[in-house]
Amino acid sequence: MTAVTDQDPTEHADQPGDGANRARAAGRPSPGTSQGERAARPGSPESWDDGLIARRVTETTDGTAGTTFPVRDSRSAAPATVTPLVYDGPLRARLEALRELVGLSRTRLDSRTLSEAGRVLDEATARRRLSGQHTVVAIAGATGSGKSQLFNALAGVAISETGVRRPTTAAPIACSWSDGAASLIERLGIPPRLRRRPLPSGDGESPLRGLVLVDLPDHDSAAVQHREHVDRILALVDAVIWVVDPEKYADALLHERYLRPMAAHAEVMFVVLNQIDRLPGEAAEQVLDDLRRLLDEDGIALGEYGEPGTTVLALSALTGDGVGELREALGQFVSERGAPARRISADVDIAAARLWPVYATRRRTGLSEQAREEFADRLADAVGATAAGEAAERAWLRNANRACGTPWLRLWRWYQDRGEPATGRIPARAQADEEATARQRVEQAVRTVADRASAGLPAPWAQAVREAAARGAQGLPEALDELSVRAGVPAGRPPRPGWWPVAVLSQASMTILQFLGGLWLLGQIIGFMAPNLGVPVLLMVIGIVGGPLIEWSCRMAARGPGRRYGLEAERRLREAAAGCGRARVLDPVAAELLRYREVREQYGRVVGA
């Protein structure tokens, strides 16, 4: 039966005139005869010349001489209803998590890091809109591996060109076994002139119904454009049949550039050892075992005992030996309709693996309570909270001594304190060295807390944490200086407890007794009063001894309240410094850690954890 290609239908009709007759009489094909007809016609004396190679078509398929198989142009098929691809729940959840992950990470990671994840999302969205009833399978291989011959054997007709000259396949060719695959083939960038469809065989529905088979150029071709075709289409198809031959099955280029990076796609890959007819005796089994060993070293799971993995077969596309087994396995693979989703799931696995260094960590991250307390303590030391509390305590005790001390001691202390600052005030740190020391303490505190917060984080997020801390540290020393003045010990005298008036009244009584005893003695000396030394002396002794005793008692009683007053002043300053540091440094750092925790949770959903 004559093969029909994708040329314009008008070219197949003989036009009136003698041109066609003269061509037929001369033994040459008429102008309306397509290359496909000349290629499929047995024993045609004319050669097929597409501008790249010239060869005489004498080969047959499946080793049967003079046999051709029906094929028709894919463009002649009637439009078919396309059922879009539907992802299952877990895959949809992973894709949604990946989309959320990319969105949360755009401000922290560069576009190159997220490019693969973005590509996977785009391809998953594009594939979901296309047919879910078709499976696109590419046949890939090295020069001379016989992939085009296998393509023709599976199609049952000489569709893809084979020959001795290399490279033979210059552009990808698609063959679809059912309608509705046009959009899938357009996505691969294969023009209509390179699309084929086998005609119905007439023996019922084809076991390969739903298959779209694509013959790729050689992946090791000397032509750069051919390799670009291979790399581009391999990223878009649902599955791949890798064709290797006994000479190049261990080629490092194949394993390092393609098989090893695609190890996650093991469930949507077939590895076929072709040309076993060239191997004598048990050599084919030995080569096949060695091929399995190499695939295992590449990390490719082998589905040899029914478990998910790559199917490895040995066949001869020339003699047809083993082609039926591949066709049967391929038919079952296509009928399951699960390859597109498995391909996308494997793409998500690869994208997640590439993102592992920027999301995953093997240790607990974040700011511990101890780190926060230490940061607050460092800021408190920078503003002098302890010194401020001690100063407040001394001010309280000094005020108590002034209130409860003897008049003579108070007079002496007043004389000494005339040149000192007012009671209760904290002198400002005006010296340059003190200011420099305080600034260094603040900077050291910020660096320490940033290092602890970023410890164990992936590099981009650790950098984001350090940058947030550095931004918060700008102006922090000045804010703490202002805060120390505003939140320190209040100006004026410290508050007095309720027992102070009693102590002041008692001290005044002791003073009055001293005055009474002294006046009494003076009256006796001048003869104004009758001599009687006992009573005035006793009054003076009581006043003299009682005043210091009351002062000492008040000092002992004032230690507790004074200590509490100093601690309260220190607490206020510590809390104020900690609040300032929290607002400027800890909160921005915590926000970055929270963002990382969110993306880590999304990353866990992406990897299925």
Side-chain angles (χ1 to χ4, degrees), residues 257-297:
R257 183 175 179 181
Y258 293 102
L259 294 181
R260 197 168 299 162
M262 295 183 67
H265 297 86
E267 295 186 43
V268 291
M269 285 200 306
F270 294 78
V271 179
V272 174
L273 175 63
N274 192 16
Q275 304 175 7
I276 60 171
D277 56 295
R278 299 168 49 192
L279 299 174
E282 298 181 354
E285 286 298 329
Q286 294 176 357
V287 173
L288 196 62
D289 289 341
D290 194 47
L291 175 60
R292 291 192 180 99
R293 178 187 62 81
L294 293 175
L295 294 176
D296 184 66
E297 291 178 357

Side-chain angles (χ1 to χ4, degrees), residues 579-598:
C580 184
R582 181 172 57 252
R584 287 176 171 266
V585 177
L586 294 184
D587 287 349
V589 168
E592 291 296 335
L593 293 174
L594 179 60
R595 180 184 289 269
Y596 170 73
R597 191 172 296 113
E598 291 176 358

Side-chain angles (χ1 to χ4, degrees), residues 116-182:
E116 177 63 18
R119 186 196 67 80
V120 170
L121 291 173
D122 293 341
E123 296 301 338
T125 302
R127 184 63 182 90
R128 186 182 57 190
R129 298 192 184 103
L130 303 178
S131 173
Q133 304 301 313
H134 291 80
T135 302
V136 183
V137 181
I139 297 184
T143 303
S145 60
K147 57 183 178 54
S148 296
Q149 200 171 38
L150 179 60
F151 179 86
N152 293 337
L154 291 173
V157 64
I159 295 177
S160 186
E161 197 177 348
T162 61
V164 178
R165 289 189 56 183
R166 308 296 178 206
T168 302
T169 306
I173 300 175
C175 182
S176 175
W177 268 255
S178 58
D179 297 333

Side-chain angles (χ1 to χ4, degrees), residues 19 28 94 99 129 228 444 500 549:
R28 292 179 284 105
R94 294 183 66 194
R99 192 178 305 279
R129 298 192 184 103
E228 291 176 350
Q444 180 64 28
W500 277 22
L549 184 62

